[in-house]
Amino acid sequence: KNQVEQSPQSLIILEGKNCTLQCNYTVSPFSNLRWYKQDTGRGPVSLTIMTFSENTKSNGRYTATLDADTKQSSLHITASQLSDSASYICVGDNQGGKLIFGQGTELSVKP
Amino acid sequence: KAGVTQTPRYLIKTRGQQVTLSCSPISGHRSVSWYQQTPGQGLQFLFEYFSETQRNKGNFPGRFSGRQFSNSRSEMNVSTLELGDSALYLCASSVGQSYNEQFFGPGTRLTVL
């Protein structure tokens, strides 16, 4: 069964601190792994897309890693800002055109 | 370049009614996908249209349907609304098929009373 599991479910950190969000995926056949950021009341915005051959990809202060052997991915946020408060969603693409979404990690950055 | 637009942004309906939501993709994008987002289930794939043809369909009942026009604009229809259909409906467009980078619209918030 295709599924994506994320942890933690929610996270509170202080402004300026780093954090890492986790994603375990079971997606077959596997095409790529995506991370999205969704602000409250808005549509998701793509942060990174990685194929199985890519180990890491950065987008500003966001760095995603992918381990295709263990089927794990992580999203690292460096020097967090208040505007990073959002839901972060891990998404698997199974080549069939159907995206499999994780439940998301709700990140709250406090001043 | 204008982003993905969805209309209306908010909608209130009663059980048994039907509703039509509209999505205008980014200019030049031929693929439009629809998603339902609820607090309990998260984001779930409804269907994808590419060049006016439905290419993929999620696990939703037949009450959920859609179509795409020659200008790539897409509509989604839900008939015989149920309370559980209350959700944020998102559409996303991409240049090619959905395995390309998708750009999401702001969504339509549907409330069924």
Side-chain angles (χ1 to χ4, degrees), chain A residues 31-32 34 36 38 41-47 49 89 93 95-103, chain B residues 9 35 37 39-45 48 56-58 88 90 98-102 104-106:
Chain A
S31 174
N32 60 67
R34 313 175 184 203
Y36 286 92
Q38 185 175 21
R42 300 191 145 194
V45 174
S46 178
L47 294 175
I49 301 177
I89 305 171
D93 183 335
Q95 294 184 345
K98 299 182 184 181
L99 300 184
I100 298 102
F101 292 84
Q103 290 285 65
Chain B
R9 291 294 313 278
Y35 301 89
Q37 186 174 33
Q41 299 294 322
L43 269 157
Q44 293 183 286
F45 171 76
E48 179 199 4
N56 284 294
K57 191 176 189 303
L88 180 67
L90 294 158
S98 62
Y99 51 72
N100 295 304
E101 183 176 7
Q102 290 190 318
F104 283 82

